[in-house]
Amino acid sequence: MHGLTGERVLMRIHIGERDRHDGKPLYEAIVNLLRERHYAGATVTRAVMGFGATARLHTDKVLRLSVDLPIVVECVDTEEKIQAILPELDQMIGGGLITLEKVKVIVYRAE
């Protein structure tokens, strides 16, 4: 069993595809930060539809030149590591949502 198994925290970051940080996509900047800090891993998912605090609907069904689909970045790690990165993420994220929930990691290993 790897050291990540057991009770851990899942962080979900909900942002927009067009959100930027230092000129690059925000989701890419977040993943790079997590990787540089040696977090267990991160996954970016593009959603097909959603709305947030503005109640503006984002969908892939509307033909637009500049699509701003919802993006979710997920990361699972220890509560200490997740709590430690939150202030930095707060500085990077303009509009968005960050949620945390307790999860039980059963398997974590490379192939």
Side-chain angles (χ1 to χ4, degrees), residues 1 7 15 20 29-30 39 45 55 57 59-60 81 88 94 98 107 111:
M1 297 293 258
E7 296 296 320
I15 54 176
R20 292 281 191 263
I30 291 169
Y39 280 68
T45 307
L57 193 62
T59 176
D60 67 349
K81 285 190 82 169
E88 208 162 345
I98 300 176
V107 175
E111 286 188 75

Side-chain angles (χ1 to χ4, degrees), residues 88-104:
E88 208 162 345
L89 292 173
D90 186 40
Q91 294 296 314
M92 295 171 72
I93 296 170
L97 169 71
I98 300 176
T99 63
L100 303 177
E101 60 187 86
K102 296 211 180 289
V103 294
K104 186 170 186 177

Side-chain angles (χ1 to χ4, degrees), residues 11-69:
M11 171 177 60
R12 280 197 188 101
I13 304 168
H14 299 258
I15 54 176
E17 188 174 25
R18 287 196 315 213
D19 293 346
R20 292 281 191 263
H21 180 74
D22 289 341
K24 67 173 131 182
L26 177 58
Y27 64 86
E28 188 178 312
I30 291 169
V31 170
N32 287 337
L33 175 66
L34 294 169
R35 188 165 182 261
E36 287 166 11
R37 301 288 171 81
H38 307 289
Y39 280 68
T43 301
V44 177
T45 307
R46 177 186 286 129
V48 296
M49 190 175 199
F51 72 92
T54 64
R56 190 172 62 242
L57 193 62
H58 302 271
T59 176
D60 67 349
K61 293 181 182 179
V62 178
L63 294 176
R64 288 187 282 187
L65 287 175
S66 57
V67 177
D68 188 24
L69 292 174

